[in-house]
Amino acid sequence: EEWNLSVRQALPRSTGSVVLSYVSRDYRDLIDDFQGGACDFSIDFGRPCPAGSVTVVPGDIPVDTTIWANSSAARREYQAFTALVDFRPNASWQFGGNYTLGKTRGNYEGEAQNQPASGSPFGNYQRAIDVAAATPFGYLSTDVRHRAFLYGNYQRQLGQRGGSLSLGSVLFYRSGLAYSLAALVDR
């Protein structure tokens, strides 16, 4: 579920524009891995077991498998306020940038940097761990509170045969990432 609200205003004499935006995103039923057998999946999540969730070897011994399915317990929320400015006082100069004040919270990371679909403790041996303690709701590793991007550009025409010369500079700022202390817990 996503909501966007934006307001745009042109600057006087068509020298640029200002845009203010608010974004709210709620992520639900995220895909996760389920381990510990089909019975845990069926009982704890109230849905029928997906086909192939338990492998039976000769002698009718069930073996745990990993199933990827949507988890109704996994949640993420993102809210941000963004301001964007583009200013061109004349044909040679351009200045602009944007600033974002954002917040990412939830109980499910779902991915790590360069590691998509890393899974979580949801649905993994539900009776052996305290799921609320293993997946607390709070700031996620993708939470970056402040981001700013500023730029300036000067362009000088060098005649019809010479083309143009452009000089510019960019400044990027990002505040620190959320800190999370995690420890391995025996199951």
Side-chain angles (χ1 to χ4, degrees), residues 19-159:
V19 181
L20 301 175
S21 299
Y22 172 76
V23 177
S24 176
R25 295 181 189 135
D26 289 332
Y27 301 91
R28 306 273 188 242
D29 291 328
L30 302 167
I31 193 161
D32 195 21
D33 64 329
F34 294 86
Q35 299 170 2
C39 295
D40 288 342
F41 184 85
S42 178
I43 293 169
D44 294 329
F45 293 93
R47 296 184 297 238
C49 300
S53 59
V54 171
T55 303
V56 179
V57 295
D60 296 326
I61 301 170
V63 177
D64 291 344
T65 61
T66 300
I67 302 152
W68 289 88
N70 293 63
S71 171
S72 59
R75 295 181 15 204
R76 278 192 231 150
E77 298 173 355
Y78 174 73
Q79 293 183 346
F81 174 77
T82 302
L84 180 130
V85 176
D86 182 42
F87 177 58
R88 297 173 184 247
N90 56 43
S92 297
W93 288 97
Q94 177 185 8
F95 302 100
N98 61 34
Y99 169 77
T100 302
L101 172 64
K103 181 170 48 170
T104 307
R105 297 182 51 179
N107 61 0
Y108 179 77
E109 294 285 352
E111 306 90 24
Q113 189 172 11
N114 298 322
Q115 297 177 359
S118 58
S120 78
F122 288 120
N124 298 346
Y125 309 100
Q126 290 283 315
R127 291 170 187 80
I129 62 170
D130 181 1
V131 177
T135 58
F137 191 87
Y139 295 108
L140 299 177
S141 64
T142 55
D143 179 61
V144 178
R145 194 59 47 98
H146 304 279
R147 290 186 184 120
F149 180 82
L150 303 172
Y151 63 89
N153 189 42
Y154 174 76
Q155 185 173 16
R156 174 82 174 168
Q157 297 298 329
L158 300 176

